[in-house]
Amino acid sequence: MKATPTILALMTALAVGSASAATTNTTAGQIITNQATATFTDPTSTTGAAATPIVSNKVETVVLPKPSFDIQYADGSVDDTTATTPAATYDKTGVLPGATVTTAYVVVNTGNVNGYVVNIASDSTGGVAPQNVAYYLDANNDGLPDSTTPITSVTLNADDPATPADEGVVRLLQVITVSSSAPTGAQYSASPAGSAPSGSVSVKDSTNTTTAYPYGALTESQANPGNSNGDLQYTRVKVFTPTLTAGPYDADPATPGQQAPTSTVVVPPSATTVIDPNNPTSAPGTPSSPSDPTQPGYTDPAVASATGSTAITVSGNVQTAYPPADADALPDVVKFKNSVTTPSGSPADTVNLFPLDPTKNVGDVGYGLPYGTNNADGSFTLPDGTIVKFLNPDGSAATLVTSPVDSKKYPVVTVPAGGGTVGYITQVTYPDSNSLADPTPITVVVGVDSGNDYNLVADGSTTNRILPPALQFGDSNGTQTPPTANAAAAPTETVTPGAAVSSGTPTAGVSTDASAVFPMDIANPGEYADTYTLSGTVSVPLADGTTQMVSVKYVTAAGAELPKNSAGQYITPVVDANTEYKVYAVVDIPAPAKLTLPGAPLLVSQTATSNYSNITLTDTNDRILVGAIGGITVNKYQAVGTAPTLNASGQATKSALPGETVYYAIVASNSYNASVKNFVLSDALSNTTDNKTNVYSFSTFKGASVTLTGFPAAAKVMYRVNGAGNFSTTVPAAGSVTSGVEVAIDTDGNGVLEPTTNDVFPSGATITLNIQATVK
């Protein structure tokens, strides 16, 4: 626009808020007449009367058309702007898709043509044209269209200089309708651009002659020479760019921004954690120790209280959950508290919630798009089977809104106008981790998408991670990479009771001592560190028929015992995630342990319990064979005329006269660490040359008796004489024995001799057969 004095005056008037004013010009076609008149005193008059005036001829001047117009910002802002640098008050930001933007203009007749027609069209030179621009009259200047019918031209009157009214201004509204599919951050520009067609002004002079005075067509730029940008006056629309901050748990939603938790939770131990054997680091909700490590966070009480709650830590925009195990194989659940924040002054926003692909980063193709299967109930099933469901802060179902992008229902939260922080719950359901051999971290990236843009792309994200626990316990597999234990192994160790127990470096496979050694693996394929409580027992039958419960001792590779709690259970050092700890289970077998046969080994029962995750596993496959020690001894003692002493003196040679009675004592002892079957104690002739001097060849049997030591009280002695018939409880009568006496014991006293089952010679027992015979 060329800054003529007239236009400058107009601009000044607009700037101070007065109505826009047309330029005052004599209207085209106006006939200006001019006729001279002479008046004087009549020289012939004696009284000095005026003479008749003398009138000249009349001349007429026709005012020619001077067409011109200008379209201006209605608030007086300087025009001749560009599509990217509009007047400040016409630069509209934060416009939502589908909204309308209305700006006011005035079309001013700066020429003198009355009824001057100016065509109005939208111009977007140098910018992006909106899809819909329309113009409406606003004669009463109320900012609202006078009708619903858009216009494409206006008719301007010329301002009559003879009247105070401003006839040369028409008020105009430009209405831009932003597409509902306008992308975030899009910018659209439009300016009303005027063009006036050529025309003519017809004038009838005083002679009644009509003459047409033509004028040419004008564009706005031509009408206002000296402009740089076509004398246009742009309105720019900047589509709203949502500013969303997706965050973790907000400790104080009433305070602007995301506030870190003021509380702390107990987290799994690390290598530097001081472990109290009587109170090792355990999940929230269980007794804590001053040495327990803690981090800012909160607890999700989704796990049964008996196993503790889930600790969730907050660090920046990442939350990490350390769930303990549970006793079932059902899917596990962790509920994260998340938040979304809009800055102060933001419009109300209905924010879509959905998971994102955790493998993609900002800038990757497809980043920010919904991930997984939308189940239309506020939940999404991810490719690995994890189900992510969004809930209101109180745990109720989230509101669902159908997206115009894909016509699917999405859970939403609403942030009120003015900005603020609103919370929600991200519920993550995943396969039971303690049923898996080697679980992996579960990462759920939550995207928040403003409902004030058309697309379905996250405007912010936050990360929720779950570190599942796992445990393997069993015999060592000989390798620690990957961390696995051989729970199916069934090694057998043979021990020698009564020998020394092992000490120093534990070594498996040694059978000459009294200790069974089993190398064990505690494998932690889970995703957080833990310590483990170990215990084990072996029920050891003793040779005397009783049993002794022996506890398993756990030692390091150097032979040092692990720390124990007050209950005698052992506590391991911290075993890091995805690592393995090797420990040796040592069983010291007591000296009186009973011999075990290969088909009936002693079974070692071991239990490992992770102190934080609360997983309990057992190993019952390890076997112990107790080797044989001791033997059967038979000693014979004698004396003449009286019972013998059971020592060396009783074994010395004696002399007797015919008719004297020799007293014999035959003592059989079982020092084996097991009962002996089919035991018969005999004092009889043999098929050897000894028969020539045998007692029964030169003496007469007088009597026999048996003394039992170490047998049950109900045990019965059974005899057989002369090698014939069955055993019975009948004591041999005097003179009845001619070739020998055999003794067997009915150990259980049921009257039936069962030498291979119930009637055995107990370990540690003795049988003393007393015989009296008179020398012939």
Side-chain angles (χ1 to χ4, degrees):
M1 178 179 71
K2 186 176 180 180
T4 63
T6 302
I7 297 303
L8 288 174
L10 168 63
M11 290 173 60
T12 301
L14 292 174
V16 298
S18 62
S20 301
T23 301
T24 301
N25 287 304
T26 302
T27 304
Q30 175 66 48
I31 298 176
I32 301 174
T33 61
N34 195 357
Q35 190 174 31
T37 301
T39 59
F40 54 94
T41 300
D42 184 358
T44 62
S45 170
T46 59
T47 60
T52 300
I54 303 300
V55 179
S56 72
N57 63 296
K58 183 188 292 185
V59 294
E60 295 178 344
T61 302
V62 176
V63 178
L64 296 176
K66 182 185 177 184
S68 186
F69 69 93
D70 193 14
I71 301 176
Q72 303 164 5
Y73 289 120
D75 68 352
S77 296
V78 177
D79 58 6
D80 195 26
T81 60
T82 67
T84 56
T85 57
T89 53
Y90 285 70
D91 199 7
K92 306 298 183 180
T93 61
V95 178
L96 302 182
T100 58
V101 176
T102 301
T103 47
Y105 294 88
V106 290
V107 186
V108 181
N109 190 341
T110 56
N112 66 347
V113 178
N114 199 36
Y116 192 48
V117 175
V118 177
N119 297 318
I120 306 296
S122 173
D123 188 289
S124 296
T125 303
V128 178
Q131 290 182 316
N132 191 314
V133 182
Y135 297 94
Y136 299 87
L137 295 176
D138 181 22
N140 59 1
N141 195 26
D142 63 356
L144 299 174
D146 293 342
S147 75
T148 59
T149 303
I151 62 169
T152 56
S153 65
V154 295
T155 300
L156 300 174
N157 291 324
D159 186 22
D160 186 350
T163 67
D166 193 354
E167 299 91 351
V169 175
V170 172
R171 295 189 174 275
L172 190 69
L173 297 178
Q174 176 179 267
V175 178
I176 298 174
T177 301
V178 180
S179 170
S180 60
S181 60
T184 296
Q187 297 186 29
Y188 302 105
S189 298
S191 170
S195 60
S198 59
S200 63
V201 175
S202 295
V203 178
K204 183 184 290 186
D205 61 20
S206 58
T207 65
N208 213 26
T209 300
T210 299
T211 304
Y213 297 93
Y215 56 84
L218 286 177
T219 64
E220 187 172 356
S221 178
Q222 293 169 337
N224 301 278
N227 59 78
S228 301
N229 301 297
D231 197 47
L232 297 175
Q233 42 286 318
Y234 283 97
T235 293
R236 180 169 64 171
V237 174
K238 294 180 180 178
V239 176
F240 177 68
T241 300
T243 302
L244 296 182
T245 303
Y249 167 74
D250 185 23
D252 185 10
T255 300
Q258 195 273 337
Q259 309 301 313
T262 56
S263 59
T264 59
V265 290
V266 176
V267 297
S270 67
T272 60
T273 303
V274 177
I275 301 299
D276 177 359
N278 286 302
N279 189 11
T281 305
S282 53
T286 54
S288 60
S289 166
S291 63
D292 287 344
T294 60
Q295 290 184 25
Y298 58 96
T299 59
D300 170 24
V303 178
S305 59
T307 59
S309 301
T310 296
I312 300 177
T313 60
V314 179
S315 178
N317 198 24
V318 177
Q319 297 188 95
T320 304
Y322 304 92
D326 51 28
D328 56 50
L330 299 175
D332 293 330
V333 178
V334 174
K335 294 180 180 177
F336 293 92
K337 297 177 181 179
N338 287 117
S339 64
V340 59
T341 301
T342 60
S344 176
S346 296
D349 203 341
T350 300
V351 180
N352 299 304
L353 307 174
F354 47 79
L356 306 181
D357 186 343
T359 66
K360 295 184 181 297
N361 298 309
V362 176
D364 293 344
V365 175
Y367 174 78
L369 298 179
Y371 182 59
T373 301
N374 187 337
N375 300 317
D377 61 354
S379 72
F380 299 78
T381 301
L382 306 186
D384 64 356
T386 299
I387 298 175
V388 179
K389 188 169 187 176
F390 298 98
L391 306 170
N392 291 323
D394 61 0
S396 60
T399 301
L400 301 179
V401 172
T402 300
S403 170
V405 177
D406 62 3
S407 299
K408 295 179 180 179
K409 294 181 178 179
Y410 286 85
V412 299
V413 293
T414 300
V415 183
T421 300
V422 175
Y424 60 93
I425 291 175
T426 303
Q427 175 180 288
V428 182
T429 303
Y430 56 99
D432 183 59
S433 63
N434 46 295
S435 299
L436 303 177
D438 187 10
T440 56
I442 297 169
T443 300
V444 175
V445 179
V446 177
V448 293
D449 171 50
S450 172
N452 290 332
D453 57 23
Y454 175 76
N455 61 26
L456 196 58
V457 178
D459 300 301
S461 66
T462 185
T463 299
N464 299 326
R465 300 179 68 235
I466 299 173
L467 301 182
L471 172 63
Q472 294 178 20
F473 177 59
D475 293 274
S476 177
N477 57 9
T479 179
Q480 292 183 289
T481 307
T484 54
N486 191 357
T492 299
E493 288 282 297
T494 300
V495 299
T496 300
V501 297
S502 66
S503 62
T505 301
T507 305
V510 177
S511 61
T512 56
D513 61 18
S515 300
V517 177
F518 300 96
M520 306 297 294
D521 282 338
I522 300 166
N524 179 9
E527 297 304 318
Y528 59 77
D530 212 336
T531 61
Y532 302 89
T533 298
L534 304 177
S535 62
T537 56
V538 183
S539 179
V540 180
L542 304 182
D544 64 2
T546 61
T547 59
Q548 179 178 335
M549 192 65 70
V550 177
S551 296
V552 177
K553 180 172 60 178
Y554 290 95
V555 302
T556 67
E561 279 192 74
L562 298 184
K564 289 190 288 186
N565 60 24
S566 58
Q569 299 168 311
Y570 292 85
I571 308 297
T572 72
V574 175
V575 182
D576 206 357
N578 295 296
T579 60
E580 184 176 302
Y581 181 71
K582 191 171 186 177
V583 68
Y584 293 82
V586 178
V587 181
D588 294 332
I589 297 298
K594 179 182 178 181
L595 168 71
T596 58
L597 300 179
L602 307 182
L603 297 179
V604 183
S605 176
Q606 300 184 73
T607 299
T609 299
S610 49
N611 295 311
Y612 193 97
S613 68
N614 204 50
I615 300 174
T616 297
L617 295 180
T618 59
D619 184 281
T620 58
N621 297 332
D622 297 339
R623 301 174 296 185
I624 299 175
L625 292 177
V626 179
I629 58 173
I632 298 294
T633 59
V634 179
N635 290 290
K636 197 168 189 179
Y637 306 90
Q638 64 177 345
V640 178
T642 186
T645 59
L646 305 181
N647 52 27
S649 175
Q651 293 180 329
T653 301
K654 302 295 187 290
S655 60
L657 296 171
E660 287 185 308
T661 300
V662 181
Y663 287 76
Y664 296 99
I666 305 162
V667 181
S669 299
N670 179 12
S671 63
Y672 276 120
N673 57 338
S675 298
V676 175
K677 299 177 181 180
N678 287 309
F679 187 81
V680 176
L681 180 60
S682 301
D683 186 68
L685 293 174
S686 61
N687 297 321
T688 68
T689 56
D690 291 341
N691 288 338
K692 297 176 181 179
T693 60
N694 189 274
V695 64
Y696 298 112
S697 300
F698 299 97
S699 64
T700 301
F701 176 77
K702 186 176 180 180
S705 65
V706 174
T707 300
L708 300 178
T709 302
F711 280 86
K716 296 177 181 180
V717 179
M718 304 190 81
Y719 301 90
R720 187 171 68 173
V721 298
N722 303 321
N726 296 321
F727 282 92
S728 73
T729 56
T730 302
V731 180
S736 64
V737 178
T738 58
S739 61
V741 177
E742 297 173 277
V743 172
I745 309 301
D746 175 15
T747 307
D748 61 2
N750 65 353
V752 179
L753 193 60
E754 304 157 305
T756 62
T757 55
N758 298 326
D759 297 331
V760 295
F761 188 1
S763 173
T766 60
I767 304 172
T768 302
L769 172 60
N770 301 295
I771 297 175
Q772 301 89 44
T774 301
V775 178
K776 290 179 180 179

